[in-house]
Amino acid sequence: MPRTDLSAATALCGLVLLSATAGIAPARAQSAYKEAPPGPGDADAPGKKPSDKFAGPSPFAPQAPGVNAANIPDGPPAGPGEATPAVEQIGSHPAHDDWPAYGRDTDATRFSPLEQITPRNVGQLTRAFVYHTGSKPAPGQVNKWAAETTPIKVGDGLYMCSAMNDIVKLDPATGKEVWRHEAGVKYASIPYTAACKAVVYYTSSTVPEGEPCHNRILEGTLDMRLIEVDADTGKLCEGFGYHGQVNLMKGMGESVPGFVSMTAPPPIVNGAIVVNHEVLDGQRRWAPSGVIRGYDAETGKFLWAWDVNRPDQHGEPAEGQHYSRGTPNSWATMTGDNALGLVYVPTGNSAADYYSAMRSPEENKVSSAIVALDVKTGSPRWVFQTVHKDVWDYDIGSQPTMIDFPGQDGPVPALVVPTKRGQTFVLDRRDGKPILPVEDRPAPLATDVQGDPRSPTQPWSVGMPRLGLPDLKESDMWGMSPIDQLFCRLKFRRAKYEGEFTAPSVEKPWIEYPGYNGGSDWGSMAYDPKTGVLIANWNVTPMYDQLVTRKKADALGLMPIDDPNFKPGGGGAEGNGAMADTPYGIVVSPFWNQYTHMMCNKPPYGMITAIDMHTRKVLWQHPLGSARANGPWGVPTYLPLTIGTPNNGGPVITAGGVVFVAATTDNMLHAFDAKSGKELWNDVLPGGGQATPMTYEYKGRQYVAIMAGGHHFMMAPVSDALVVYALPDGK
């Protein structure tokens, strides 16, 4: 697909992208690192405690009161079990007017059959109501907010979580709060971001209709709890776990607040709640485990665990032991397949993202992959890897989408897998084999990182259009003036760049392109099963990375979150990181002019694409996002020029023929014609729209909702506003 040329006026409007470079904290004493991996299970080496790996005092601080999953009693270790038989959930066959799951249905299509809003009348949308969650940074608190929330709608309730995990039920027509469950999450438990993407609706198979907790709302919290409340009253379901809560820190070993957290809604598959969690990037090689676990949706009872370095042990660790540390974690929203009894787990890479020499063979097999787990046992059925030996933070942030692929001999049960690389893989859900061709192509090997060779090949999806632009060239460098352009050209020359998969470097910076924000990130894609059209918005934002020696990392003040001397800004996700326990730290920033805060590559920086899945051809594609809220030095230009901005959050598509997407740093909700891609309508939001919208119908009127929570990393203004639109009088 040809690139869209931008006018000189558009180029001059500029673009702001938040610096990923963390602030400098006080220097610390040089730390030792241990190259031998920990043994499976508890003892990182037999007979030793975790602190034995480190010189000096243990870096593991005890968990503060209330942080260990609210001090929920652990109970005795539980062996593997089977889930209580489940009734069919509404997400499998949603009511016409509902949006009962994060991705609208269990297939995660983000497609609504509603037709009231069309390309002809979408321009008449007005605000029906605005609801305020009350979750924003308090005075004096560092802004770590990015709610990322998509509400769900079932029957007479609009359900959502706040950025700090309070659960609310709203009247779908007025936004009036019906009830509120306060989760009690503390500021200290926020990892990189205060976010809660969605809650989960569940109908009990054991509690009769009309009794409390027949219908339930479930969420995972930032402080590692599962909470189930009654959908009608918001009161805790006493029969679930310990008075309505389950402690997810059990078996995790040493940690501190903010190191591990849940921000994505856990799927319920054949009665099993499947739980993943985020482990804060950039901290240390022996970070808490990335274990995936199953729990009974009725009782909260532990069912099984998939622990990469304990593959044959599916029970909880015995007292004094823990799940294997530093293994790949999964923070994205998973997709459950009730028919096949599988859950599709998008994984990241092992702890210490940019250095792979200390990873086990088992970790290398399942990192940056889709792993299909049997929901009865927790055992992998198949694995499809999207990056081999990932040292670029190319973890899979998108929720995979299940479709019936239009094959020559009839529909094939398929899984569409977006990636940060802009490669979209289409797999057979039954065995993980590619339906569309995938090639292993040669990848750059040159590196000065001793003992950490790169994979000679990487997988490329050649059967789908790439959501990306050509490799960078020096002539593509860009700026407000010839001096700015020269600055960026010199920066390009100074760096190591051999195209995609340029290997990490110690002696000089290297350019990572695509960057770790995508391609496609956590917003995922939308798919219209009636027309076979796939909608994706994506990023074009390179990064500028460099490994630094342990001595230099110490001099920069980089330390992990569990170091007693850690201070905010001392290294963390999406920026500089200590990568303790390894020989190196990491310095990361956007590939930009650090003086003007404008990217060094020319626009566009964000795109939206429509693909016909019958032909795998691009139907339309253009930049997404305007310059109105962007400009040099963070000064908005207010120019209504579509330049294509960085974006986080996904699209939705309706049977009425309209695509809705916010996501961009212009702080707007956009509506596009699904057939032509023409922008039909937009509205300025009270905060950044870094979330995925949703649509529902109530009493004959169609509504469109977007959480305008903003995003600290995207420099989009933070708010607590859920904004809901409708046509005047429903017409």
Side-chain angles (χ1 to χ4, degrees), residues 1-54:
M1 191 72 183
R3 293 182 63 172
T4 303
D5 292 328
L6 302 174
S7 68
T10 301
L12 287 174
C13 73
L15 176 75
V16 174
L17 181 69
L18 172 64
S19 171
T21 306
I24 302 301
R28 60 176 291 211
Q30 183 173 347
S31 62
Y33 63 89
K34 180 180 176 69
E35 295 190 1
D42 169 30
D44 297 271
K48 294 185 178 183
K49 298 178 180 179
S51 58
D52 291 335
K53 296 195 298 292
F54 305 94

Side-chain angles (χ1 to χ4, degrees), residues 225-237:
R225 288 175 285 159
L226 286 179
I227 299 176
E228 273 193 6
V229 300
D230 180 75
D232 292 329
T233 66
K235 294 181 179 179
L236 288 167
C237 294

Side-chain angles (χ1 to χ4, degrees), residues 215-286:
N215 293 317
R216 311 176 185 189
I217 302 296
L218 165 73
E219 74 166 351
T221 66
L222 297 173
D223 59 5
M224 293 295 285
R225 288 175 285 159
L226 286 179
I227 299 176
E228 273 193 6
V229 300
D230 180 75
D232 292 329
T233 66
K235 294 181 179 179
L236 288 167
C237 294
E238 291 290 324
F240 179 79
Y242 183 78
H243 300 292
Q245 303 182 74
V246 171
N247 175 10
L248 298 177
M249 287 304 297
K250 185 180 181 184
M252 293 298 291
E254 301 277 5
S255 188
V256 295
F259 210 157
V260 291
S261 60
M262 284 189 68
T263 61
I268 300 176
V269 192
N270 294 340
I273 305 170
V274 184
V275 172
N276 63 357
H277 57 267
E278 164 188 342
V279 179
L280 195 64
D281 281 351
Q283 305 308 303
R284 61 169 66 254
R285 173 65 187 99
W286 307 127

Side-chain angles (χ1 to χ4, degrees), residues 75-93:
E82 291 190 7
T84 303
V87 297
E88 184 177 67
Q89 299 299 306
I90 56 175
S92 299
H93 298 92

Side-chain angles (χ1 to χ4, degrees), residues 466-621:
R466 181 190 178 195
L467 302 179
L469 300 179
D471 287 348
L472 298 174
K473 305 188 301 291
E474 184 182 331
S475 59
D476 290 334
M477 298 303 101
W478 182 83
M480 291 175 55
S481 68
I483 294 176
D484 295 320
Q485 186 184 49
L486 177 62
F487 177 89
C488 287
R489 292 185 72 151
L490 292 173
K491 195 168 183 177
F492 181 88
R493 286 189 181 186
R494 178 172 173 260
K496 175 185 177 183
Y497 181 61
E498 300 174 353
E500 189 166 344
F501 294 113
T502 297
S505 173
V506 181
E507 294 300 320
K508 61 167 63 175
W510 85 92
I511 295 174
E512 177 189 341
Y513 181 65
Y516 59 59
N517 199 37
S520 299
D521 203 359
W522 54 264
S524 310
M525 296 176 172
Y527 178 70
D528 183 341
K530 294 184 177 181
T531 63
V533 173
L534 187 72
I535 304 292
N537 52 288
W538 45 283
N539 288 290
V540 191
T541 50
M543 305 302 295
Y544 206 71
D545 309 337
Q546 187 171 5
L547 290 172
V548 295
T549 63
R550 179 57 49 205
K551 182 178 180 179
K552 185 169 183 179
D554 292 337
L556 290 172
L558 302 182
M559 59 187 69
I561 189 175
D562 55 10
D563 190 295
N565 297 312
F566 177 83
K567 294 181 180 180
E574 315 298 353
N576 298 351
M579 297 207 310
D581 318 323
T582 79
Y584 303 105
I586 183 67
V587 174
V588 180
S589 73
F591 181 35
W592 66 354
N593 183 324
Q594 59 264 40
Y595 302 105
T596 62
H597 287 193
M598 295 169 65
M599 296 298 291
C600 278
N601 59 309
K602 62 184 179 183
Y605 307 117
M607 302 283 286
I608 185 167
T609 301
I611 300 170
D612 184 338
M613 290 301 291
H614 293 92
T615 63
R616 273 78 69 194
K617 302 295 185 182
V618 172
L619 298 175
W620 51 263
Q621 175 173 287

Side-chain angles (χ1 to χ4, degrees), residues 94-100 103-105 108-117 526-530 651-660 693-697 702-704:
H96 183 83
D97 55 353
D98 281 350
W99 189 286
R104 204 262 163 177
D105 46 43
T109 62
R110 294 169 182 79
F111 167 78
S112 169
L114 298 179
E115 300 177 298
Q116 188 178 101
I117 299 171
Y527 178 70
D528 183 341
K530 294 184 177 181
V652 303
I653 186 170
T654 72
V658 181
V659 173
F660 291 99
M694 53 83 76
T695 184
Y696 61 92
E697 187 175 285
Q702 183 180 353
Y703 297 82
V704 177

